[in-house]
Amino acid sequence: MTAPAAPTALIAEDEPLLAAALQAELARAWPELRIVATVGDGASAVRQALALRPDVLFFDIRMPALSGLDAAAELADAWDTSARPFPALAFVTAYDQYAVQAFETQAVDYVLKPVQPERLQKSVQKLRTALAHQAQAAINQEANQAHLQATTEQLRHLLAALQPGADADALASAPLRQLQVSPAGSGGATIRMVPLADVLYLQAADKYVRVITHEGEHLLRTPLKDLLPRLDATEFWQIHRATLVRASAIDTVQRDEASRLHLTLRGHPDRLVVSRLHAHLFKAM
């Protein structure tokens, strides 16, 4: 009888010394675990996880550009459940009572840094149990999909619980009525005001936010996360980490063969993808 393969893990931690410390402690607490990659940012974590398909992920909560939570959500959105179940997930975080309470409330495992051997041992036991349950179950695509859906729900609630409070200046400001934008291709030489009522959707792209109206595309320098506190959530729905769409502009919602949702807009050719994290907005489908 063939022995089961050793479990594999990926560590995403932007502080090399802490990554090394976690790897050393894991070697003691879980000797058979094989670390297949260590990366220092969220985007690399997503790429390597998709390429290597590890059994376990250790994602630091705070990493450059893409946080651990956002990286996990992006990975969940791209994961192919026909091959294998989504990895067991543990977040690495500095002690923060509010964050720890959020993890415990959502039953999501976490590792405190600097690494504490006793706490790590508890995490290892929980992760071992999670992997054992996956192995004992009759794993198939339906089971994998259910597991991924449960993980996505946990991530969605965590993102909401850990969302930093809106900037005080933003909260004190009146709700947005118009946006100061540059027409795409103008190089910022031309500035115009676009009424918010004309906006079909907003989409983060590199250093800008694309502002799409029936007239065309404009560019905004304000980060999407800074716009969120000043937008009416019932008017603009977040359908992806980088995309907000005017709810009243949605024409159709379609599900493809991979169960991904796509939106079409009234009077506009663009087709927008709905991430798994935000698919609950269209639960009736």
Side-chain angles (χ1 to χ4, degrees), residues 12 59-63 66-69 91-93 103 113 162:
F59 277 11
D60 184 17
I61 281 291
R62 300 191 183 282
M63 289 188 288
L66 200 64
S67 73
L69 273 172
F91 288 105
V92 183
T93 181
F103 291 132
K113 60 179 182 180
L162 296 177

Side-chain angles (χ1 to χ4, degrees), residues 36-54:
V36 293
T38 301
V39 299
D41 63 89
S44 296
V46 174
R47 286 195 301 271
Q48 288 297 302
L50 287 172
L52 300 171
R53 302 279 169 170

Side-chain angles (χ1 to χ4, degrees), residues 165-173:
D167 182 83
D169 291 337
L171 287 176
S173 303

